[in-house]
Amino acid sequence: MKRIAIFASGTGSNARKIVEHFSSHDDVAVSLIVSNKSKAKVLEMAQSHGIKRLIIDRPYFYESEEIVSLLKEKKIDLIVLAGFLWLVPKYLVQAFPNRIVNIHPALLPKFGGKGMYGMNVHRAVKEAGEKESGLTIHFVNENYDEGGYIFKAACQINDSDSPEEIAAKILKMEHKYFPKVVERVLRNGEKISS
Ligand code: GRF
């Protein structure tokens, strides 16, 4: 059995897609959903699927390393960041080498880094007059939106597209690809490297 922990700060539409994807798999389970926001919608989704939840605060995440023992106790194989806005601390990256993945709604290394989240990304893409954008799924290191790339998918941007339309286009692609790529990382184990 392979076990996934999803970290998310917001709506959790990607988290939901991953949960739904693996609900028909006997050998993979989403065992835990971690959030830094006690009112995040993703926690409601976790509850409705009977998935254990953990709400974290800054001292717990940045001043203790307790989450590592918890994740190990729960035999978590892979941590999936799906709209998780806090920087992952070094101790956690080191405890799960090549075992933390993130999805970013742009073609990294463009439009990544601190402050590049949510609509900020799509507004910046629009302002730069980009002809394409897309998504990047990558391993996580201790810097925002860095770490080896695992998968990218691009989409065309028309001059008439608003940042909201770009966001919607990319979110749809995220839902299509993210669960499959997570499955690939889980099944290929150590063979995938950054
Ligand atoms: C996604 O666009 C993802 O790329 C980014 O955060 C967003 C999360 O959306 N990291 P949702 O909460 O899964 O709807």
Side-chain angles (χ1 to χ4, degrees):
M1 172 66 93
K2 299 271 189 195
R3 294 176 186 83
I4 298 171
I6 300 178
F7 287 31
S9 305
T11 316
S13 69
N14 278 287
R16 177 188 294 278
K17 289 288 171 189
I18 293 168
V19 167
E20 288 171 358
H21 177 85
F22 288 111
S23 63
S24 57
H25 289 56
D26 294 337
D27 57 345
V28 180
V30 177
S31 308
L32 181 68
I33 299 218
V34 176
S35 185
N36 58 310
K37 294 241 172 88
S38 60
K39 300 230 160 63
K41 278 238 172 328
V42 70
L43 293 171
E44 291 169 25
M45 188 277 293
Q47 193 172 29
S48 68
H49 282 86
I51 299 169
K52 290 225 157 30
R53 308 177 301 170
L54 174 70
I55 299 164
I56 55 171
D57 60 16
R58 284 192 173 272
Y60 176 82
F61 200 48
Y62 290 110
E63 290 162 30
S64 87
E65 299 188 7
E66 282 173 46
I67 198 164
V68 172
S69 342
L70 183 100
L71 294 166
K72 300 269 181 196
E73 254 165 46
K74 292 195 172 295
K75 299 190 166 50
I76 298 298
D77 296 285
L78 188 71
I79 298 173
V80 175
L81 310 186
F84 183 67
L85 295 181
W86 282 0
L87 189 65
V88 176
K90 195 171 178 180
Y91 74 79
L92 190 51
V93 173
Q94 286 174 344
F96 285 83
N98 277 356
R99 283 288 166 276
I100 310 178
V101 300
N102 180 45
I103 187 163
H104 185 77
L107 295 172
L108 291 174
K110 282 179 160 183
F111 307 103
K114 196 165 165 49
M116 276 294 170
Y117 62 88
M119 286 307 297
N120 294 352
V121 177
H122 307 297
R123 277 189 217 109
V125 165
K126 175 76 187 171
E127 272 163 31
E130 294 289 309
K131 296 289 173 225
E132 62 167 20
S133 189
L135 64 92
T136 306
I137 299 170
H138 62 96
F139 288 110
V140 168
N141 68 16
E142 55 271 30
N143 302 313
Y144 279 115
D145 302 325
E146 287 184 11
Y149 301 140
I150 302 166
F151 178 85
K152 284 187 186 187
C155 63
Q156 198 187 317
I157 296 177
N158 304 316
D159 291 344
S160 60
D161 286 345
S162 66
E164 289 72 20
E165 284 166 328
I166 299 171
K169 220 183 264 191
I170 293 173
L171 190 63
K172 204 167 157 196
M173 292 167 69
E174 294 188 32
H175 293 166
K176 177 177 171 195
Y177 292 117
F178 201 17
K180 291 179 188 152
V181 174
V182 166
E183 181 170 1
R184 206 181 83 198
V185 173
L186 266 179
R187 301 223 184 274
N188 285 2
E190 296 296 333
K191 277 182 267 171
I192 290 189
S193 75
S194 55

